[in-house]
Amino acid sequence: MEHQRPKILLVDDRPENLFALEQTLKPLNASLTRAISGEEALSQVLRQQFALILMDVQMPGMDGFEAVSLMRDYDDTKNVPVIFVTAISKERQFVEQAYESGAVDYLFKPIAPGVLLSKVKVFLELEKQRIELEEAVQKNKKMAAHNETVLDCITEGIISFNSQGIIDWANPTALRLLGMTLPQVAKSKLFDLFHLDQKQPPIQWDDFTQTNESGSHAQIRNCDYLLKRQDCTTFPVEFSMSGFTEHIQDGGVFSFQDITERKWAEDELIRLAQEDSLTQLPNRALFHEFLRVSLQERVRDNGNLALLMLDMDDFKRVNDTLGHDVGDKLLQSVSARLAECLRQGDLVARLGGDEFGIILPVIRKSDDAGRVANKVLESFKKPHQLGSCTLTVGASIGITTFPEGGKDIKELIKSADTAMYHAKGTGRNNFQFFSREMQERVLAKDTLEKELIIALKERQFESHYQPKIASNGDLTGYEALVRWQHPTRGMVFPDDFIELVEETGLVVELGKQMLEMACAQNKKWIDEGIVAENTTVAVNVSVRQLSEKSLVKTIQDVLAQTNLPPECLEVEITEYTMMNDVEHAIVVLTQLRDLGVKIAIDDFGTGYSSLTYLSKLPLNTLKVDQYFVNGIGEDPGDESIVKATINLAHSLNLQVTAEGVETDEQRQFLIANKVNYLQGYFFSRPQSSSNLEQWIVEQNFSNIPQTPVI
Ligand code: C2E
Ligand code: CA
Ligand code: CA
């Protein structure tokens, strides 16, 4: 900024004196104003700001002294430096009067121009510095005001503290958030604002100051903690803190933000991520987390915990028959009951579907867990009122305890699951503790599963064949039955592995291999004239295979590959398998029948099928279960069932095979009751293909076997 020219007021009643002064001061390049009386001088100083006044003492009217002393009464003019210029004697009295009236200097006429010039210069220089200083002060004031507004407006709370951690200032936001006034907050310790009941604060005062002594900058950035309000309520904040200098001997600043809303949103997200939306119970994720933490605690205190796995009995049926709405309501009602059965500190979670997990994080002995399981089962006895329907469901519970049932989460869950499946297997609606035997079985199962995978890859399975004899004594076909040529155990029968093969889904691959072997073998025997052209080979198809989309395609492919006419292949599907999902069975079996493949319903009499379904299913043959055949000659009830079944089948236009025929008495009874085909040890055990081939040849069946007419 360019400074204005300094202004000097020249006061004298005589124009020639004024002129002389003007001439003397010319080199200063100052702005010179004249006044020819004390009065005029006064009116000038009120109008403009002068850097200096050169004042004549003796003037008519108001003299110089008077004019100056009047000037000293006004704020605006009292500080203007005045140099008296006078002709009166240098007597001390006058000099004193002049200084009293506010002169800064005193010059006598005649004035030596050099002296005047240098004195004035000094005063102008002083004035210049004064103006600059004033400007600086103004600027500072403005900046301070600006800073204050900024501090007032920002939404962060800001607190400054001294080197002892005592608060000396806080902005309005800080005061509002803390519910305090400045006097209340000032003089208190910054760290007293922390709510210490909770976890340790992220930093202690000593650490904060120490960090500085070690030479590094005293700074803490974006830490979360709780602050106390005046009324002792708390609120979460994110704060930063730093010393004014590298070492906090000048104090520091603490800034913080209220993060109540952010925390709420975060908590809500966590809650949603950990909750099952249907039942509001903790979900699988939280269950795992809770188990992990509980386990850690029990490892630390050498304690015990229990894990209960609960699976509702027949939930699928409720869903299928009454609809998902009722199913959902049932799950909610069950959840509420489960929650009621537990003590505080226990956790029940919905793990998915109709499966629930209960964690008892502290137990004294395993009986505690048994008691909870009992309580749960007891609570399940009461019917659930779901809108207009009333339902009672059972549950199967498996219990495991730490450390007996496993060392880690995975093992514990597995052992609880094993116990739960065991409970399902032993009649449902009960609970079972995990036991060593179970564990051994699980281990054996694991080993078996691994072996089965290898067996499939290495084609260790082979097919044996059991002949089916028509009522007239002809060979009508054979059933393919799987045998496992185990590398060390020798021949293993399906009862030892078929369940696991089903459970693991490996049965899909096994089924394919069996189909390939059976179809190829039948085709070979037909081609070689060992059996009649219409001889059928029967292959067993399991639940899992039936539900697999690929079944029809696989059968089609194998038939094409082996060139076996479709009517020479029969699939045997147990009654239970078909009833598992009748609608689906109808669809798949219809496709198979359209291919020309024959269909038999196996183990009939054990699967509770209804007559309606039986007439809808595209069947050719019904196989009476060997249990009833076994009772022939011994149990009249069984005999009646066999008779009734044969009649029923014939009325539905189905042929009947009796399996498990072991005695001639049974054979005669069955033939007398018009069974079409017979199969059993009485005729032949299942045999390897080469043995059976020899057997067929030896039997010398009447020429070519024919399918008998009913
Ligand atoms: P299944 O389909 O009911 O087969 C008949 C079972 O009864 C066979 O047992 C057979 O050896 C046996 N059997 C035949 N005649 C008599 C008899 O007179 N008395 C007695 N006590 N038993 C007789 P196997 O071969 O041990 O097969 C058992 C079960 O394993 C089969 O029952 C079938 O459900 C399943 N299975 C066998 N092979 C396969 C297969 O390739 N695939 C599938 N999915 N399951 C198979
Ligand atoms: Ca069968
Ligand atoms: Ca059977």
Side-chain angles (χ1 to χ4, degrees), residues 11-13 36-42 55-71 82 84-86 88 94 97-98 101:
V11 190
D12 204 309
D13 56 323
I36 49 160
S37 66
E39 291 85 346
E40 201 192 335
L42 266 185
M55 176 74 82
D56 187 21
V57 175
Q58 284 177 311
M59 289 178 289
M62 187 186 290
D63 70 13
F65 292 145
E66 208 176 332
V68 170
S69 70
L70 280 172
M71 267 182 229
V82 180
F84 283 111
V85 184
T86 181
I88 55 173
F94 287 107
Q97 192 183 354
S101 67

Side-chain angles (χ1 to χ4, degrees), residues 163-274:
S163 58
Q164 260 65 57
I166 311 271
I167 296 173
D168 46 29
W169 179 84
N171 76 340
T173 305
L175 297 173
R176 182 174 54 76
L177 291 175
L178 292 166
M180 292 186 196
T181 59
L182 195 53
Q184 281 170 332
V185 81
K187 304 265 182 294
S188 55
K189 278 207 156 134
L190 175 68
F191 274 47
D192 285 350
L193 295 179
F194 284 146
H195 175 68
L196 291 179
D197 286 358
Q198 210 207 16
K199 54 177 186 187
Q200 281 282 311
I203 179 108
Q204 305 284 351
W205 175 253
D206 287 348
D207 298 335
F208 179 67
T209 48
Q210 237 161 50
T211 341
N212 302 298
E213 276 154 27
S214 75
S216 62
H217 206 70
Q219 253 191 359
I220 292 165
R221 289 259 163 260
N222 308 335
C223 288
D224 284 7
Y225 204 63
L226 279 188
L227 290 192
K228 268 186 305 203
R229 295 198 187 86
Q230 171 78 358
D231 60 5
C232 287
T233 55
T234 60
F235 63 108
V237 295
E238 183 185 282
F239 73 87
S240 298
M241 187 172 164
S242 58
F244 282 140
T245 57
E246 255 188 40
H247 308 278
I248 63 139
Q249 70 262 36
D250 295 333
V253 63
F254 176 88
S255 64
F256 63 101
Q257 246 173 329
D258 184 345
I259 54 165
T260 306
E261 269 167 42
R262 194 186 84 194
K263 266 259 156 1
W264 179 84
E266 282 171 2
D267 291 351
E268 192 63 8
L269 277 180
I270 291 169
R271 191 180 67 77
L272 288 178
Q274 295 188 330

Side-chain angles (χ1 to χ4, degrees), residues 463 466 479-483 493-495 498 502 507 510-511 514 539-543 545 572 574 602-603 623 625-626 659-662 666 679-682 684-686:
S463 179
Q466 186 178 36
E479 179 177 0
L481 293 156
V482 67
R483 300 291 180 262
F493 285 81
D495 280 350
I498 204 80
E502 284 243 2
V507 76
L510 176 66
M514 284 297 288
V539 176
N540 291 287
V541 167
S542 71
V543 181
Q545 284 171 283
E572 290 191 8
T574 66
D602 204 352
D603 298 350
K623 289 185 87 174
D625 192 76
Q626 41 183 294
E659 61 177 334
V661 182
E662 291 184 357
Q666 290 166 351
Q679 179 185 352
Y681 293 171
F682 178 75
S684 163
R685 286 188 176 251

Side-chain angles (χ1 to χ4, degrees), residues 269 317 476:
L269 277 180
R317 218 170 44 202
T476 183

Side-chain angles (χ1 to χ4, degrees), residues 355-418:
E355 205 189 326
F356 296 85
I358 297 171
I359 300 167
L360 312 178
V362 187
I363 55 163
R364 281 167 300 129
K365 46 189 183 350
S366 52
D367 285 5
D368 293 354
R371 217 166 296 131
V372 172
N374 247 332
K375 204 168 158 192
V376 168
L377 290 179
E378 202 57 37
S379 85
F380 269 56
K381 283 188 182 156
K382 217 171 52 192
H384 297 268
Q385 190 63 51
L386 313 166
S388 57
C389 57
T390 312
L391 269 182
T392 310
V393 286
S396 303
I397 303 174
I399 306 173
T400 194
T401 51
F402 171 80
E404 297 80 9
K407 297 179 299 300
D408 57 31
I409 295 185
K410 214 170 135 204
E411 284 180 9
L412 283 170
I413 290 181
K414 197 163 177 184
S415 61
D417 267 339
T418 304

